[in-house]
Amino acid sequence: MSHTLGIRQAQKQKTRQALLDAALQLLEEQSLSSLGLREVTRAAGVAPTAFYRHFRDVADLGVTLVEEALDSLHTTLVSLLAATGDGNGDDGEERIAATVELIVAYVRTHPAHVRFIAREQHGGVQAVRSAIGGQLALFAQEVAGQFSQEPESVGWDEDDLLMLARMYVDHMVMTASALLEAAPDAQERVAASARRQLRLVSLGRRHWLDER
């Protein structure tokens, strides 16, 4: 009996992933608000009724795609920040380089997810906009938490650290979008520009309390 249940569960997961993959492929050329349920099930090769065993509606599927796109980045980003603590004597160059490398690698391996997030962040499906906003806010809180442990944050208040973290996260999103749209021979220029911009953020951080 348990073997049979295991097979059924595996098949259910396979169908769910097929629906997500089909939707993501269709969203290469259109927005989520224009995506039809029957389009997705036809592309996934399943009956329309099967859709409702996995998602309430297309918006619910979109929220799941947001989680699929961004969840895996949380641990990676926090680990990167912890390993490249600002204030290590190199003006933050290790962190800057590693951050941009992370974005470049993610765009290279997950272009459809990046395109989906870039398009739907300000798209017409409110639940998905909220899900993206929630994920990015969580990123910012995690970044702020890491920043708060670093020597250069002594004297900073929580609101200012969160503002700095939001700038960092917004920069990552904008860089990913720019890399996605850039021609292959222009991507290094985008990456170089992203590194310069992060240097400005790092420089501003060092002198923020002086200005206040």
Side-chain angles (χ1 to χ4, degrees), residues 163-199:
M163 178 179 64
L164 175 66
R166 285 172 177 158
M167 290 173 60
Y168 191 88
V169 171
D170 287 346
H171 177 271
M172 292 183 69
V173 173
M174 289 186 295
T175 300
S177 297
L179 284 166
L180 187 67
E181 299 302 322
D185 62 353
Q187 290 185 348
E188 177 49 37
R189 289 198 297 274
V190 173
S193 177
R195 288 190 290 268
R196 289 197 301 273
Q197 290 164 359
L198 280 178
R199 288 187 190 103

Side-chain angles (χ1 to χ4, degrees), residues 114-136:
V114 174
R115 184 172 289 106
F116 169 71
I117 294 297
R119 178 181 288 144
E120 300 301 330
Q121 185 178 6
H122 305 291
V125 181
Q126 192 275 332
V128 174
R129 291 200 311 273
S130 295
I132 295 172
Q135 285 278 348
L136 296 182

Side-chain angles (χ1 to χ4, degrees), residues 92-113:
E93 285 298 318
E94 182 184 3
R95 169 172 289 175
I96 291 166
T99 298
V100 176
E101 287 173 10
L102 173 64
I103 301 168
V104 170
Y106 191 74
V107 172
R108 185 182 300 123
T109 55
H110 298 81
H113 284 104

Side-chain angles (χ1 to χ4, degrees), residues 13 16-25 27 55 60-74 106 110 112-114 116-117 131 135 139:
Q13 181 59 36
R16 183 177 186 273
Q17 191 60 51
L19 289 165
L20 289 168
D21 292 345
L24 194 61
Q25 184 175 7
L27 289 167
F55 307 104
D60 186 38
L61 180 148
V63 170
T64 304
L65 281 175
V66 172
E67 295 167 355
E68 183 179 79
L70 297 177
D71 268 359
S72 63
L73 278 177
H74 286 279
Y106 191 74
H110 298 81
H113 284 104
V114 174
F116 169 71
I117 294 297
Q135 285 278 348
F139 270 115

